[in-house]
Amino acid sequence: MFDNLKLDNNVVLITGANRGIGLSIAKLLKLRGAKVIATARKKEDSQMLEAMGFISHYLDVTEVDSIIKLKKTLKLDSLMPDILVSNAGLGTVSLSMRLKRNLWDQTIETNLTAAFELAKAFIPHMSKKGFGRIINISSVLARSPQVGLAHYSASKSGLEGFTKSLALEYAQKGITANCIAPGFIETDMIADLRKQGMDFKNKIPVERVGVPDDVAEITAFLSSKASSYITGETIHINGGTYFS
């Protein structure tokens, strides 16, 4: 039974794996035995990931050509992923009526459209294998919006709807699709919001901001065979900030 939690021989692709939540997920899944492909947009970040023992590749999730190029490379290397963690995200603060259209587009492309393009690229391999895990990193802000984050909330709400559709379409192929919705986690985005005077601790019943490892543990479970009866769900990790 407990062997179902192991990730031996699984190939995992994690986007935005160079820091924060993505890096914690990469470390834990590697520890559990997976072959981890960690992507980043900067050469120095790729070098850092390689030094840590990951298979690292450049990837700009907003560029379809970049995704296609990565797919071709992984296919040639016999490293097509059966677990896809779409973690790369963009978060900025702006009131809706002051929000520039290009920032709206960038947020939707990074947080939503990229997950669609990545799934489109790698689900056929999972379907052929008869096993696959799609794990999309959403946010508590998809269900509980905050002032100045309408574009971010919209992108994550869309991501959850898209994930549910994938779950329905590929359930019979042995593929599950789920979202993880972190609350306030110690990341660069939270650091930026703190600089703008936002206080989070008073909003969290457990009286602490979460850490990336909190998210990594749930990701590892959803990646495993032990989670085969969970699909189309959004798992909330927020210290009691929001209840679904």
Side-chain angles (χ1 to χ4, degrees), residues 16-24 39 42 45 48-49 87 89 188 212:
N18 54 304
R19 60 189 180 188
I21 290 172
L23 183 56
S24 287
T39 73
K42 295 180 180 179
D45 288 337
M48 174 199 72
L49 290 166
N87 166 72
D188 290 346

Side-chain angles (χ1 to χ4, degrees), residues 24-97:
S24 287
I25 292 172
K27 287 178 178 178
L28 182 58
L29 269 55
K30 184 175 184 294
L31 186 65
R32 297 284 168 89
K35 295 179 181 178
V36 176
I37 302 161
T39 73
R41 291 181 61 184
K42 295 180 180 179
K43 183 178 180 180
E44 56 266 32
D45 288 337
S46 289
Q47 292 172 339
M48 174 199 72
L49 290 166
E50 287 177 359
M52 296 174 71
F54 301 113
I55 304 164
S56 184
H57 287 281
Y58 166 84
L59 178 65
D60 183 342
V61 298
T62 66
E63 295 290 339
V64 177
D65 289 345
S66 184
I67 294 173
I68 292 173
K69 183 177 180 180
L70 176 62
K71 178 183 176 180
K72 289 180 178 178
T73 299
L74 296 180
K75 193 169 185 179
L76 286 172
D77 294 341
S78 297
L79 283 173
M80 288 288 280
D82 42 42
I83 299 170
L84 171 62
V85 182
S86 287
N87 166 72
L90 175 65
T92 57
V93 180
S94 176
L95 292 174
S96 299
M97 296 303 101

